[in-house]
Amino acid sequence: MVAGWRQRPVRVLVAALAVSVTAWATAGCGTPATDGGGPAVASVPPGGSFAPVEPTPDASVLLITVDTLRADALGFAGNRQAATPALDRLAAGGRVFSNAHAHTVMTLPSHANILTGLYPYQHGVRENSGFVVPAAVPTLATILGQAGWATAAVVGAFPLDARFGLDRGFDLYDDRYAKAAAADVFVIAERPGAEVVARGLEWWRARAGERRFLWLHLFDPHAPYDPPEPFAGRFAGRPYLGEVAAVDAYLEEILGPVTSGAEGPVFVVFTSDHGEGLGDHGELFHGIFAYESTLRVPLVVWGPGIEPGTDDRLARHVDLLPTVLAAVGVDAPGGLPGRSLLAAPGTEEPSYFEALTGNLSRGWAPLRGLIDGARKAIELPVPELYDLAADPAETRNLAAAEPRAAAELLGRLPAESAWPPARGLVSPDEEAALRSLGYLGGNAPARQSYGPEDDPKNLIELDRKLHRMNDLYGSGQLAAAVELGERVVAERPTMPLGYVYLSQALLKQGRLGRAIEVMTRARELGAASDTLLRQLGLSLTSAGRPSEAVELLEPLAERGEPATLNVLAVALTQAGRAADAIGVLERVFEADPTNSRAYENLSLAALSLRRWAEARSHAERALELDDNLPGAWNNLGIARYYLGDGRLALEAWERAIALDPLQFDTLFNLGVKAAELGERALARQALERFLANAPPARYAAELELARRTLDG
């Protein structure tokens, strides 16, 4: 092995999201204006006179979901500051359901509700991370595909990645957003709505004359709110509404021809997965509460035979699948909780909802509830009851004044929805990508009981501190992030997420020893999630203590979760047990034959065994599966160097650095070997960056060699 060669595993850090918080009032939304912002829409009272819609069996279906879109952020909903002419025209010509609600306030479970027609406790997807839609559950795509429709989906962000199971039944499932190259890279795993619509239109037009089902998911209104021009200038000080206006402009490209009749008969369903808090009830974004700001959604159904107007009946996401199937004359599966919104009015069913992110990521009390007519009840240690007709902003909790009414409504919660549900595990790659979007998943251990001290209403300020830590981390203010993290951990020592965030900031600072202390303390208190334990294992390995990491990880790896097996393989390799690492990675391939991280780690094990050709082959396979893996590029460079391909080795290391500019081992490799090959400019650039950023405590010998190389 060449002196000074670096083969240490790259630490997996959790990306943070710097969010510029904009209050709802600043965003230009709030209570809708009574005179409205869009075209006038006829109103029909609950149980009104809309005639049933006859099916159109030759019609196509266009489903549009806009992420994080509040119901009152649109012109047709009465917002005079909104600029949504395309959606306003759609609403004017279609059925507007002004009392529509989601059942969850996170992206993946909400879309699972829409596409399966089931409540979250029925299909089992309860949060963005750690869950996969079961293969046995029919979806709108599987049903329409079997009935002869061509099917396609174009999604805008990682929470709807194909790995989570919503791709089943789609002939095309396009999730080609820019994915995070490494967990410590501050990127947003999304793509602009303009690209989503353009890709969808390409597929739609290529299948003209066929019965088509196209689902478009636009992520743009999700934080951080950063609309493009001209919307940034037009909505200065109101960036959320700027994002909404941009989405409307993108959608005009497909809604224009569809609503003009040029595309033949088409049923259009437009909705959002959930809203956004924007400061309401102290919630900056979404996921913690289930107040109307995040639970109520816009909903428009447009198409052949649909009488325009506003329908004030309670409409639910679980109603959308049976509505679409009825509109095109396809039988819906039996046992669904929803009903077609285009059928004759009947008895309204209550709407179930939940918000479990606070419980899963923070260990706070889980939230469930029901809406029945104008009454809304929320089950928490401090229960809530609201009259939405008299108090749409939910400012007066009636539970204490009307305990019987609250108890009666909460007593009707489905027994099978009780917490905790069966849940899966989340991989580091999934968690890193989700956190880059602002989701603070931490896999908090389940508890048997919760008290008022665990009620999210009493902990919302702590949530704001967590988001502030994200902001500080993402903007590079690591000292401030660490200081705030220490306070958060002291304030709530049983909350796993506090330790996760604090340890990540410490690792980013290069304070490996202190990060290990923090993670070890969480473990001692029983507040260490699987995610934190994996990070502890990697950190111990990086600190030259791989045998301790193996001891920590082996019991966790008995569950067979690929993410843990991958980390264990790295630790085994660094402990001098590369052959054992290869055996562990074989277990990963049994569960996931295309696991790119496993191939990356297999190449590392082969390097340790000096099997250069094998290492090159495994690294190349990893990069075929995902060319955004800096560790695999680094391994490929090492293998190429030892196989005599020095110039190609430099190219591989340059690719690794392009993906992760502060991958210290690769910087060192690139600098030293570029100097050896006479590439002095490249060597100087890499070594100067290494000298400026590499932690001295971990890289003392390499830093000295780098200085000598530069001086030579």
Side-chain angles (χ1 to χ4, degrees):
M1 199 65 68
V2 176
W5 205 253
R6 304 300 301 181
Q7 292 191 69
R8 294 180 182 175
V10 180
R11 291 197 315 269
V12 177
L13 301 183
V14 182
L17 179 64
V19 176
S20 175
V21 176
T22 306
W24 187 236
T26 306
C29 299
T31 303
T34 55
D35 58 350
V41 180
S43 179
V44 175
S49 60
F50 285 122
V53 176
E54 294 298 320
T56 306
D58 62 338
S60 291
V61 177
L62 174 61
L63 170 64
I64 299 171
T65 60
V66 179
D67 213 286
T68 322
L69 177 60
R70 284 179 64 131
D72 54 4
L74 298 156
F76 70 80
N79 193 311
R80 289 176 293 182
Q81 298 189 56
T84 54
L87 291 170
D88 293 345
R89 287 194 297 273
L90 182 75
R95 186 85 52 85
V96 176
F97 294 89
S98 60
N99 190 22
H101 286 81
H103 312 293
T104 51
V105 287
M106 296 295 274
T107 299
L108 176 62
S110 199
H111 282 92
N113 304 335
I114 292 169
L115 289 170
T116 68
L118 297 172
Y119 282 127
Y121 60 84
Q122 294 175 311
H123 56 63
V125 179
R126 312 298 284 268
E127 222 268 1
N128 272 351
S129 59
F131 298 92
V132 176
V133 178
V137 176
T139 69
L140 186 56
T142 61
I143 296 168
L144 288 179
Q146 291 169 0
W149 272 257
T151 59
V154 187
V155 301
F158 179 81
L160 298 178
D161 192 277
R163 72 184 69 182
F164 300 121
L166 284 177
D167 63 321
R168 285 185 301 102
F170 285 104
D171 303 328
L172 168 71
Y173 195 88
D174 187 329
D175 56 357
R176 292 182 291 178
Y177 43 81
K179 302 186 181 185
D184 191 37
V185 178
F186 186 68
V187 296
I188 301 299
E190 63 169 305
R191 58 177 162 178
E195 293 182 17
V196 171
V197 173
R199 182 70 181 98
L201 263 175
E202 178 185 343
W203 178 89
W204 182 267
R205 289 168 175 165
R207 283 153 185 80
E210 299 180 44
R211 293 184 299 176
R212 298 158 287 179
F213 167 42
L214 174 62
W215 167 33
L216 298 178
H217 164 254
L218 289 80
F219 194 73
D220 305 69
H222 196 285
Y225 317 125
D226 185 23
E229 292 294 355
F231 305 102
R234 288 175 56 192
F235 290 88
R238 297 169 295 154
Y240 178 80
L241 284 185
E243 293 273 31
V244 175
V247 162
D248 185 87
Y250 305 149
L251 289 174
E252 171 62 28
E253 295 298 312
I254 192 166
L255 287 178
V258 165
T259 57
S260 72
E263 300 293 325
V266 181
F267 280 101
V268 180
V269 176
F270 162 75
T271 189
S272 68
D273 54 351
H274 53 73
E276 186 77 313
L278 293 172
D280 286 356
H281 298 270
E283 185 174 27
L284 300 177
F285 305 109
H286 58 272
I288 301 300
F289 295 139
Y291 296 116
E292 294 295 276
S293 54
T294 59
L295 196 66
R296 195 163 71 91
V297 294
L299 176 58
V300 178
V301 181
W302 181 99
I306 295 177
E307 182 183 350
T310 297
D311 193 324
D312 296 328
R313 293 175 296 166
L314 181 62
R316 307 165 298 172
H317 272 165
V318 294
D319 296 326
L320 298 186
L321 181 144
T323 298
V324 170
L325 295 181
V328 296
V330 175
D331 292 337
L336 295 179
R339 84 289 192 198
S340 171
L341 296 172
L342 303 179
T347 303
E348 288 189 25
E349 295 292 330
S351 185
Y352 169 85
F353 61 87
E354 65 184 31
L356 300 179
T357 296
N359 182 273
L360 283 166
S361 68
R362 298 158 176 80
W364 301 351
L367 184 156
R368 298 185 300 158
L370 279 180
I371 300 174
D372 190 6
R375 289 282 175 137
K376 179 179 181 179
I378 300 173
E379 182 188 64
L380 281 170
V382 180
E384 300 172 58
L385 177 68
Y386 298 100
D387 182 342
L388 297 178
D391 180 25
E394 297 161 291
T395 61
R396 297 185 297 277
N397 182 3
L398 304 175
E402 301 182 34
R404 290 185 179 178
E408 188 277 330
L409 191 50
L410 292 175
R412 292 159 54 195
L413 282 168
E416 60 269 38
S417 70
W419 186 254
R423 68 184 307 271
L425 298 171
V426 59
S427 74
D429 286 348
E430 292 167 359
E431 180 163 311
L434 289 163
R435 187 165 285 104
S436 78
L437 298 171
Y439 296 118
L440 312 181
N443 292 17
R447 291 167 48 189
Q448 297 301 313
S449 63
Y450 300 88
E453 69 278 6
D454 304 309
D455 193 304
K457 294 188 291 297
N458 297 323
L459 295 167
I460 194 61
E461 286 303 315
L462 193 57
D463 180 69
R464 297 175 77 97
K465 290 177 182 177
L466 290 169
H467 282 288
R468 177 59 179 161
M469 285 181 68
N470 245 355
D471 189 10
L472 293 168
Y473 181 100
S475 61
Q477 300 178 66
L478 298 176
V482 168
E483 180 183 356
L484 181 56
E486 297 280 10
R487 296 205 306 268
V488 167
V489 166
E491 182 177 346
R492 185 90 174 172
T494 59
M495 184 173 67
L497 193 58
Y499 296 100
V500 171
Y501 269 48
L502 176 56
S503 64
Q504 303 314 311
L506 289 164
L507 287 169
K508 186 71 170 179
Q509 277 188 318
R511 297 170 63 186
L512 179 61
R514 175 57 183 152
I516 290 174
E517 290 177 3
V518 167
M519 290 184 280
T520 301
R521 177 60 174 159
R523 185 186 180 199
E524 292 171 348
L525 291 173
S529 62
D530 289 353
T531 298
L532 195 70
L533 292 175
R534 282 192 291 262
Q535 179 60 71
L536 177 56
L538 283 172
S539 299
L540 288 169
T541 303
S542 295
R545 299 157 61 182
S547 295
E548 293 179 52
V550 170
E551 184 179 356
L552 168 73
L553 293 166
E554 281 185 328
L556 198 63
E558 291 178 0
R559 304 177 190 173
E561 207 283 317
T564 304
L565 294 172
N566 264 316
V567 177
L568 175 59
V570 172
L572 286 166
T573 298
Q574 297 303 311
R577 299 169 55 186
D580 291 337
I582 293 171
V584 167
L585 292 170
E586 288 174 353
R587 294 173 58 193
V588 177
F589 293 127
E590 289 175 3
D592 183 3
T594 60
N595 191 300
S596 59
R597 290 288 185 185
Y599 279 105
E600 176 186 316
N601 294 331
L602 195 57
S603 71
L604 183 66
L607 289 175
S608 181
L609 294 170
R610 307 176 71 87
R611 299 174 182 170
W612 314 124
E614 288 183 27
R616 179 179 61 187
S617 176
H618 295 319
E620 288 173 344
R621 177 55 177 151
L623 294 168
E624 287 175 6
L625 294 167
D626 183 356
D627 63 359
N628 291 318
L629 297 174
W633 283 110
N634 181 51
N635 295 348
L636 179 60
I638 297 171
R640 283 175 171 176
Y641 184 88
Y642 276 103
L643 289 168
D645 297 327
R647 300 293 174 181
L648 290 177
L650 297 184
E651 291 180 9
W653 290 326
E654 286 186 277
R655 285 291 303 272
I657 295 304
L659 292 168
D660 184 357
L662 294 181
Q663 186 168 286
F664 302 126
D665 293 339
T666 308
L667 281 171
F668 179 81
N669 293 342
L670 177 61
V672 171
K673 300 310 168 187
E676 181 182 291
L677 293 169
E679 299 284 347
R680 300 298 302 177
L682 180 59
R684 177 167 295 278
Q685 182 183 44
L687 291 175
E688 286 180 347
R689 189 183 297 175
F690 178 76
L691 287 167
N693 296 286
R698 294 181 56 205
Y699 292 91
E702 290 79 10
L703 288 166
E704 178 58 30
L705 179 56
R707 293 187 188 96
R708 292 201 307 268
T709 302
L710 284 175
D711 293 339

